[in-house]
Amino acid sequence: MLGLAAVLYGGWMLFGMAAGIKTTHLRVDDLPITLYQARDQGDGPVPAVVIAHGFAGSHQLMRSFALNLARNGYLAVSFDFPGHGHNSAPLGGSLGSPERLTSLLDALSKTVDVAEQHAHGGRLALLGHSMAGDVLVNYAKTHPQVTAIVAVSPYLSEPVGADFAPNLLFVYGAYEPEMIHAQGRESMEEVVAAPVALETTYGDPVKGGARRLVMAAGVEHIGVLFNAQTQREALDWLDASFARRAPTQKPTRPILTAGAGLAWFYTGLCLLAWPLSLLLPPMANRPLGAGLRWRPLTIAALIPALLTPVLLWPMPNDFLPLLIGDYLALHFMVYGVLTWAVLAYLGRLPDRAVVMDGLRASSPAVLAGGVLVWLLYAVGAFGWSTDHLVASFFPPLGRLPSLLALLFGTLLYASADAWMVHGAGSARGAVLLTKGLFLVSLALAVVLNLNELFFLVIIVPAILLLFIVYGWLDFLSYRRTWQPWLGALASALVFALSITATFPVVA
């Protein structure tokens, strides 16, 4: 009952944000475009805001911006860059190359054309996150119709320039690295002689060329998108740029954020997994697993964590058309192989006779039905809500080869990790140690190859959340079945699906 109440309350908050909003889906060639506009807006001129996601993002990630702007009288238009989300066209060029910028600018230009057609002569603004910040600034330099830009945690390949005409708002998460904050400060210092003060507008937004720098409290590179201060600053900046209301006036409609709704919704799904797990059939006659105590567990967990990034450092990792996803596939695979090798050295590999004897505790039909229902819930319920409300989760069919390659690696890792942390007499809190060391291993990989793997830093919070949610599901299923590989299978599927859907396909 608590779980159902939390899901309903969270869903009411999340889907209630779209009340009164008309959503239209279009496709221009390979480019998916979504328009958001209040149903009572009318057919007259309206300011248009084109909203662009960052690297490894998708239009769902920017949903809060689109809905808040549409609720307050704007035509909000979002899209998926090439190689991202539901855009089937690959992302062209290499990192930092002119070809890649051209590929991104072309998608933005097509979206702006659609926005201007539906704005009926209204003025234009741009809003973008991370990678998109550089794309928007480059576009605005050659398109004078851009009145204002909201750059959320932007990456900038070069200085904006003191003569940049559109109003420019920078919003960063306070917990982001200083090297990212520095780009915004440098762009502010181009027009401000004195030390830059936060949350201070320099220049007149009505005349153009104004700039402002904001640090959203308590959030990082992804959390900044769901932050109420970020949403409010974006709306205030656009209203000031279009002279729609004075800074002291309240918005037409209050700002709504998705953070609380998502927390309630996913907490409810986790709670509902508890009674569902009680329906699982027995899959073993005793707790299966390596059953390692702290000392052998620590050694077994440290070896793959330290060796994997070192072994992969000199190796090429472009065997998949999936940027950074190809490295993650290798990292999961090598990590899993090393873990199984350590378990073999310790003499703790699975005993086939014991495993098969435990599976005979239930009929094949009951086993198959239990596994199917659990996987449908673990992958489907969480995946569907994520794909609709947060970010792309289910990849297009064209990415099936990449999905299978990733699934091979995630299965090796998840099965080995599950066997290592479970079993009779195993150390309490073992899963916290192994999952923490996996994140440390990714951090070491970034340090060894910062230029190519920097974007891995961005997804660490997402991996941590997946570890928490699916660690809970693994606890529930193992407590009921004594079989560690059911939770491992769910985790492997989720990681393979989410990584394949998230990271961009490249030409």
Side-chain angles (χ1 to χ4, degrees), residues 58 61 257 307 312 336 491:
S58 58
L61 205 57
T257 57
L307 283 184
L312 292 180
S491 297

Side-chain angles (χ1 to χ4, degrees), residues 280-289 354-355 358-359 361 418-419 422-424 474-487:
L280 288 170
M283 298 183 185
N285 295 321
R286 61 180 177 85
L288 298 181
V354 173
V355 172
L359 290 176
W419 190 261
H422 288 302
D474 174 65
F475 166 78
L476 293 175
S477 64
Y478 184 78
R479 186 184 63 167
R480 182 65 178 173
T481 66
W482 282 348
Q483 171 55 263
W485 289 332
L486 180 56

Side-chain angles (χ1 to χ4, degrees), residues 269-295:
L269 289 180
C270 287
L271 289 175
L272 286 174
W274 192 337
L276 180 64
S277 70
L278 301 180
L279 303 177
L280 288 170
M283 298 183 185
N285 295 321
R286 61 180 177 85
L288 298 181
L292 297 178
R293 299 289 186 177
W294 272 114
R295 184 173 179 179

Side-chain angles (χ1 to χ4, degrees), residues 374-387:
W374 186 251
L375 290 179
L376 283 175
Y377 186 78
V379 178
F382 287 89
W384 177 88
S385 52
T386 300
D387 195 70

Side-chain angles (χ1 to χ4, degrees), residues 4 53 76 81 103-104 142 161 204 227 264 268 326-327 354 357 360 383 397 412 488-489 501:
L4 185 60
H53 63 79
F81 276 120
S103 175
L104 299 170
T142 56
D204 185 353
N227 180 265
W264 279 106
D326 44 16
Y327 175 81
V354 173
D357 182 58
R360 296 188 188 100
L397 286 177
L412 274 173
L489 180 56

